[in-house]
Amino acid sequence: MEGLEEANKATTSKTSSTNRPLIIFLVVVFGQGSWIALNGLWVQLPLLVSLGIPEQFQIATWLVLVIQVANIGPLIFTLVNYFTPSGFHFEIATNYFITALGAIVTFLLIFLWDKQSVWGFTQSDNLHSTALILCAFFLSVVDCTSSVAFTPFMSRFKPYYVTWYFVGEGVSSLTPSIVALIQGVGGKADCVANETSIVENATHVQECTSWVPVQKSARFGPSGFFGFLFVMSFACFLSYLLLNILPQARSEQSKQSVKNGQKSNNYEMVSSSDVNHNDSDETLKQRIRPFQSLVLLFTILGVVSALNNSVLPSVQSYSAGAYGIPTYLLAATLACVTKPIASMLVLVRPKDNIGVVVAVGLVGVCAGCYSMMTALTSPFPPLQHTTIGRFLIVTAWITSSGCFSYVHATVGWILRQETQNRVLFIWFGGITQLGSLIGACTMFVIVNKTDILQPYYEDPCENAVPCEISTLP
């Protein structure tokens, strides 16, 4: 009998190792769908601004605003989840709905992103990017709800896959950033002569030229970029479908997540006997962390979420944009690229140490303070027209984004090891959205109701000589 049990364990271990690459791939693709739509919109903002959308640099505040209004999605999810019977997991149906909605809306963006209309109910009739803002709202519902619906679903899988999910979240920043860098914003605008007039009298000739800035074209337009977002969003939907129906995926779930043919109310940690030897370092015994430690973790998570998701994005166009549109694009995209790298560090060397979380978070806060300082001093920030100035602002955005992403993923990794991790993951998503909401409301008032932040519009024709006078012999 013992030999038979050992043979069965060996067979199970071998099957798990065979399934693992496929499930990792599906989990990463599923995870990248969590925030790829909004991350894509963020890195597309520099090009949209350069193309002259009506909102110009204030489009970032509009995007932050609709994201917070879209928090109605996770609020509804949390309330329904709370009042549903213990044996029913509302996240299953919710994830089907939001992944399908994300694919539909990104498809519509391909054709509607530049549709504008006049809003007559404002203080004065203004032209707005109506279709873009509406689509941004629905995509925000999708991505915000994913924060509270994706992670409870992932808690049913073995701990090994949870960090891969966070890597997927990072990929949701990486892939659109790479595509945006390839796309570009067309480079620095040129100053060209529009019209020249000559006036001659008895003593001199006056030659006057009107100069206009001409923006160089990007390699492809926003429609092509939104086509890419559609493909990635549809891939997320397919991956989630396969994670639910494939037998290989079901075999990688924790044994405690399915019991007697019915889902249990809480997805417990898998014991060391449920996995092969390679998982032993990742799988820890159930435990309950002191309440004070959980409060500290959630407080750090809320602060980081406010800064990373609302406060700093609201001022990025003022901060990095003050150094030119190409620098703005570089800062926005490279800051997103650092997110999966930071998440990968958690996979390679996870730290179950709150002190490390605090230290890394403080580094991110310092970098964020520098970015905020440049925004507050716009349109003339320090070292504005110098290479060192552009280097420092891009580095600041990279550092803050990387540190905050590392903190976010590490807190998630720590909570996954706790007893009642499904409940903690719901709180994890809720606190993330609460911090983002508080930060967004604060910044909306500052940016839109005060004159503290001033945009910088680069004018390549500012030194052009309008008129030249030559004396007749």
Side-chain angles (χ1 to χ4, degrees), residues 20 30 44 59 65-67 83 103 167 179 199 203 234 274 276 300 311 313-314 322 343 371 376 415 466:
R20 178 173 290 183
F30 171 61
Q44 193 67 178
I59 188 63
L65 176 63
V66 298
I67 290 173
F83 289 107
V167 171
V179 174
V199 178
T203 59
F234 186 68
D274 295 332
N276 58 33
I300 295 171
V311 175
S314 296
S343 299
S371 300
L376 293 173
L415 295 179

Side-chain angles (χ1 to χ4, degrees), residues 71 74 78 147-148 294-306 309 408 411 415 424-438:
N71 275 302
T78 303
S147 292
V148 294
L294 292 176
V295 171
L296 177 58
L297 283 174
F298 282 128
T299 300
I300 295 171
L301 179 66
V303 172
V304 165
S305 299
N309 299 337
H408 184 268
V411 172
L415 295 179
L424 290 176
F425 264 163
I426 292 177
W427 276 97
F428 177 86
I431 294 296
T432 297
Q433 295 309 122
L434 178 62
S436 302
L437 174 62
I438 295 174

Side-chain angles (χ1 to χ4, degrees), residues 69 78 80 124 166 267 278 371 374 378 440:
V69 175
T78 303
V80 174
S124 61
F166 286 115
Y267 303 138
N278 292 333
S371 300
T374 60
S378 177

Side-chain angles (χ1 to χ4, degrees), residues 37-104:
L38 287 182
N39 287 330
L41 284 176
W42 278 117
V43 298
Q44 193 67 178
L45 291 188
L47 178 60
L48 296 177
V49 170
S50 71
L51 292 175
I53 60 172
E55 294 80 7
Q56 286 294 302
F57 280 177
Q58 288 188 343
I59 188 63
T61 63
W62 281 100
L63 187 54
V64 169
L65 176 63
V66 298
I67 290 173
Q68 302 316 311
V69 175
N71 275 302
I72 187 68
L75 177 61
I76 292 175
F77 171 84
T78 303
L79 291 175
V80 174
N81 184 77
Y82 180 80
F83 289 107
T84 52
S86 59
F88 179 76
H89 295 289
F90 186 57
E91 65 267 16
I92 303 298
T94 300
N95 289 337
Y96 275 117
F97 174 75
I98 63 177
T99 53
L101 180 62
I104 293 171

